Amino acid sequence: MLFTKNQILFFATICFFLIQQYGFAQIDSTKIEVRKNHNIIQLALNAITKKLSDSAAEAALLNVRSEVYFLPYQGKIIRRIIIKRYGFDKIFSDTSTRLSYLGTKILNSLHTNTREEVIRNNLFIKEKTSINAYKLADNERYLRSLEFMQDARIIINDIPNITDSVDLLVITKDLFSITGDLSEVSKNRFKAKIGEANFLGMGQKIQLSTLIEQSRKPTVGFEFLYSKNSIAHSFINANIVYTTINPSLNNGLQNEHAWYIQLERPLVSQYAHFAGALLVGHNQSYNNYQYPDSSFYRYNYYKYDMWLGYNLGVNALLNNTSKKDRQFIGLRYFQNSFAEVPYQIKDPYNFKFSNRQALLGQFTFFRQHFYKTNYIYGFGTTEDVPAGYNIALTAGWYKQANLKRTYTDINANYYVATHKGDFIQYFTRAGTFIHNGRWQDAGFLLGANVFSRLFVYRSLKIRQYIGLSYTRLFNITGIEPLRIDNAFGLRYFNADSITGTQRISLHTETFFFLKYKLLGFKFAPFAFGEATLLTPPNQKFASSDLYYNIGSGVRTRNENLIFETIELRFIYFPRKAAQNNSFKIAFTTNIRFRYNSNYVNAPDIVQFNNDNNNNIY
């Protein structure tokens, strides 16, 4: 079989990236001097690891399963739970030291520490009950997942002369919770956002976004968001949003007015009974940019979405901790109902503008535990990375416009944490609609994501990421074809008109975490490369086109502030015709990097052009 030039280039690129990964693997990460140092982390992990002398090597301290520290206390009674709260200006590894840099005093005057009742509202461990090491580890991890929390530890204290009971010390460290984002500033356009993620220390968020644009009528638009964490210790989070600057379904211009109300309860622990959500909302386009009627897409629709799930056999699992496999069943109903559809839309099955309605049931098998580590996405704070498996089987009824079909899919993930500190995720998803005995809109996706172990060279920390995926669609009827302007293709690629039915993608990125800080901000330069081989619709694999880019950039973040990661990225696209410009500079603020740590998700149609649950980026 003869290969085309594009295919040869693609496979040569893969070989080059693998050689690059192998080259970094030669750095010896074991020759690091060790010394003793007592702090909160050391107390939590005593007898497991030792504090490394070079603070740059701190990540090795945290490569440990989350429940290991708690296992020796399994079955003991919790006498008391004591809460110890630290503000953002404390150093978690040495709480006797305060952060001190320009503006710290001003920030302190603006910050309110999280109230004790808010911390207790997020505890599902109770006094006068026996310790379950896995449940305790779940609660510690859940505290770290809160938006206004930088880190959390649960320390077990022995009680003198009492052998069957212990006290728990819950230690939390806040983020500075006032956030802002100045995303666009030009002569004719200004866009900014300001918010407080922990208003008055009460676990509630208030956020206001504004857009001022001369070509818009009215020139000023806004968005208001309010959310409340764990209402009345129920673990139900509430969100209320009203906006006049929502991106439109047609071209992304911010001329959509919308509101929605959402109540959501995640599965906070593998031992929790229920999870679910309820959302009600309304979206409507307004001609704020004064388009002619022939060009303006006028639409108006309501959306309803609700789901509820139950964790099977929880009580039996609490009594038998040796059983690790879990089963979860969920049911979801959602509806997008258009009161008005743009008259320009002639295709009744246009995915964006057609009425959609579905009833989906899902059965999930999972066995997951977590490793505490760092320098995956963050710059040194504790991160929770899963190990184990998660397999979700979904089936149900789906209606798009007047087309009624049954639906079924599988979404499987297998997470591996090697003893050397590598983190690997293998994933597959496949789904199909069935109509009159025929498969429609069928597809599958296979892939893997790899984070290498952390290599330490003097004060420099290096980690390598590689992602590879293959996607194939069949008999497209009512879903979007494959694109490459997403996580499974080339990020920051502007041309959304390039589509296909078969896609092979490779992404590699090397991170360098620097030791030095500026006003509390840490820096991580990176170099990356991406390549995608896309087969156009109704074409053979030999006709596939190769798209690729290379580049570099730098990320920065102050881990004590709620401001998310800021990224400056320089990208070179050799195929200028596909991208319009060969070079692109992307400056992005408020990027929220976080490894997926959900046990279960709402039943859904599998997606092939985005990766909300699994994607690294």
Side-chain angles (χ1 to χ4, degrees), residues 177-230:
S177 53
I178 296 178
T179 182
D181 182 15
L182 188 62
S183 55
E184 294 184 52
V185 179
S186 66
K187 180 180 178 181
N188 299 315
R189 183 178 168 90
F190 174 88
K191 187 179 180 184
K193 175 172 62 180
I194 188 170
E196 164 62 276
N198 193 12
F199 183 61
L200 299 178
M202 296 174 60
Q204 53 188 351
K205 180 177 181 177
I206 298 175
Q207 181 174 286
L208 178 66
S209 303
T210 185
L211 172 67
I212 302 174
E213 191 170 5
Q214 295 302 316
S215 59
R216 201 174 181 274
K217 303 297 180 184
T219 57
V220 179
F222 71 94
E223 177 180 286
F224 175 79
L225 177 147
Y226 172 81
S227 66
K228 179 69 177 76
N229 160 262
S230 190

Side-chain angles (χ1 to χ4, degrees), residues 332 351-352 356 411 413 425 427-430 444-446 449 469-471 473 479-491 503 505 601-602 604-617:
R332 179 187 181 192
F351 186 77
K352 292 181 180 179
R356 287 180 286 130
N411 192 339
N413 298 274
Q425 177 194 11
F427 57 90
T428 182
R429 61 183 72 164
F444 68 88
L445 183 151
L446 305 171
N449 297 315
S469 67
Y470 172 73
T471 316
L473 295 184
I479 66 171
E480 291 183 307
L482 299 179
R483 305 193 316 270
I484 63 172
D485 58 336
N486 54 65
F488 294 118
L490 308 184
R491 290 168 297 148
R503 180 183 61 207
S505 294
N601 295 291
D604 200 1
I605 308 300
V606 294
Q607 303 296 316
F608 300 107
N609 284 317
N610 61 64
D611 201 19
N612 294 331
N613 294 326
N614 298 317
N615 183 51
I616 303 297
Y617 297 98

Side-chain angles (χ1 to χ4, degrees), residues 106-286:
I106 297 175
L107 296 182
N108 263 317
S109 66
L110 297 173
H111 178 75
T112 303
N113 285 354
T114 303
R115 299 189 181 188
E116 182 172 328
E117 60 266 28
V118 173
I119 304 300
R120 293 191 180 275
N121 269 347
N122 286 282
L123 295 180
F124 42 82
I125 52 175
K126 299 179 181 178
E127 295 177 347
K128 314 305 179 186
T129 62
S130 60
I131 286 179
N132 180 307
Y134 300 94
K135 191 174 183 179
L136 211 54
D138 274 349
N139 209 154
E140 187 184 76
R141 178 180 58 83
Y142 177 67
L143 289 173
R144 279 194 292 270
S145 73
L146 300 180
E147 184 179 7
F148 46 85
M149 200 67 63
Q150 187 202 55
D151 211 338
R153 289 287 189 277
I154 298 178
I155 308 298
I156 299 180
N157 291 329
D158 292 315
I159 304 171
N161 303 321
I162 300 178
T163 59
D164 64 345
S165 299
V166 294
D167 290 338
L168 298 188
L169 177 62
V170 178
I171 307 172
T172 63
K173 181 180 185 299
D174 282 358
L175 289 163
F176 179 74
S177 53
I178 296 178
T179 182
D181 182 15
L182 188 62
S183 55
E184 294 184 52
V185 179
S186 66
K187 180 180 178 181
N188 299 315
R189 183 178 168 90
F190 174 88
K191 187 179 180 184
K193 175 172 62 180
I194 188 170
E196 164 62 276
N198 193 12
F199 183 61
L200 299 178
M202 296 174 60
Q204 53 188 351
K205 180 177 181 177
I206 298 175
Q207 181 174 286
L208 178 66
S209 303
T210 185
L211 172 67
I212 302 174
E213 191 170 5
Q214 295 302 316
S215 59
R216 201 174 181 274
K217 303 297 180 184
T219 57
V220 179
F222 71 94
E223 177 180 286
F224 175 79
L225 177 147
Y226 172 81
S227 66
K228 179 69 177 76
N229 160 262
S230 190
I231 300 172
H233 200 190
S234 64
F235 300 98
I236 295 175
N237 305 317
N239 295 282
I240 301 173
V241 172
Y242 178 77
T243 177
T244 64
I245 55 174
N246 210 45
S248 74
L249 294 176
N250 176 40
N251 54 19
L253 288 176
Q254 292 171 300
N255 65 348
E256 185 180 277
H257 295 204
W259 62 263
Y260 73 81
I261 301 172
Q262 182 184 40
L263 299 174
E264 181 182 24
R265 189 185 196 277
L267 191 68
V268 295
S269 167
Q270 57 188 315
Y271 296 100
H273 287 85
F274 292 99
L278 170 66
L279 183 146
V280 178
H282 175 253
N283 299 59
Q284 183 174 355
S285 63
Y286 281 73

Side-chain angles (χ1 to χ4, degrees), residues 213-483:
E213 191 170 5
Q214 295 302 316
S215 59
R216 201 174 181 274
K217 303 297 180 184
T219 57
V220 179
F222 71 94
E223 177 180 286
F224 175 79
L225 177 147
Y226 172 81
S227 66
K228 179 69 177 76
N229 160 262
S230 190
I231 300 172
H233 200 190
S234 64
F235 300 98
I236 295 175
N237 305 317
N239 295 282
I240 301 173
V241 172
Y242 178 77
T243 177
T244 64
I245 55 174
N246 210 45
S248 74
L249 294 176
N250 176 40
N251 54 19
L253 288 176
Q254 292 171 300
N255 65 348
E256 185 180 277
H257 295 204
W259 62 263
Y260 73 81
I261 301 172
Q262 182 184 40
L263 299 174
E264 181 182 24
R265 189 185 196 277
L267 191 68
V268 295
S269 167
Q270 57 188 315
Y271 296 100
H273 287 85
F274 292 99
L278 170 66
L279 183 146
V280 178
H282 175 253
N283 299 59
Q284 183 174 355
S285 63
Y286 281 73
N287 196 3
N288 297 128
Y289 291 92
Q290 305 296 298
Y291 280 8
D293 289 343
S294 59
S295 302
F296 175 62
Y297 279 50
R298 190 180 304 278
Y299 62 84
N300 174 10
Y301 72 95
Y302 292 86
K303 54 186 177 184
Y304 312 94
D305 195 342
M306 61 194 77
W307 80 278
L308 182 65
Y310 183 74
N311 201 1
L312 301 174
V314 171
N315 293 332
L317 294 171
L318 284 169
N319 296 326
N320 181 11
T321 56
S322 63
K323 187 177 180 181
K324 308 301 182 193
D325 298 298
R326 309 288 191 260
Q327 295 86 40
F328 184 89
I329 188 168
L331 185 66
R332 179 187 181 192
Y333 172 80
F334 69 82
Q335 177 181 344
N336 280 14
S337 179
F338 277 84
E340 185 177 8
V341 176
Y343 76 88
Q344 296 94 332
I345 301 298
K346 306 302 181 184
D347 179 8
Y349 304 120
N350 183 292
F351 186 77
K352 292 181 180 179
F353 294 102
S354 60
N355 290 330
R356 287 180 286 130
Q357 189 177 7
L359 181 64
L360 302 173
Q362 186 178 85
F363 198 89
T364 303
F365 307 84
F366 66 94
R367 173 192 264 187
Q368 285 178 235
H369 53 268
F370 288 85
Y371 279 78
K372 288 190 286 193
T373 187
N374 46 16
Y375 294 107
I376 297 286
Y377 299 123
F379 289 73
T381 55
T382 308
E383 300 177 69
D384 299 284
V385 178
Y389 71 86
N390 185 300
I391 302 172
L393 305 174
T394 304
W397 170 84
Y398 188 93
K399 180 181 179 183
Q400 184 175 356
N402 61 353
L403 179 62
K404 300 177 182 179
R405 300 181 288 179
T406 56
Y407 176 78
T408 184
D409 74 39
I410 180 173
N411 192 339
N413 298 274
Y414 182 54
Y415 304 95
V416 178
T418 71
H419 68 280
K420 292 185 178 180
D422 304 304
F423 297 100
I424 308 169
Q425 177 194 11
Y426 304 97
F427 57 90
T428 182
R429 61 183 72 164
T432 184
F433 295 88
I434 303 173
H435 182 62
N436 293 332
R438 296 185 59 223
W439 289 8
Q440 293 180 344
D441 294 326
F444 68 88
L445 183 151
L446 305 171
N449 297 315
V450 181
F451 276 105
S452 75
R453 69 208 66 175
L454 188 70
F455 303 111
V456 181
Y457 179 71
R458 296 183 179 177
S459 63
L460 184 67
K461 298 170 288 296
I462 305 170
R463 202 184 284 273
Q464 179 72 30
Y465 166 74
I466 291 181
L468 181 66
S469 67
Y470 172 73
T471 316
R472 185 78 166 91
L473 295 184
F474 306 90
N475 195 16
I476 297 177
T477 303
I479 66 171
E480 291 183 307
L482 299 179
R483 305 193 316 270

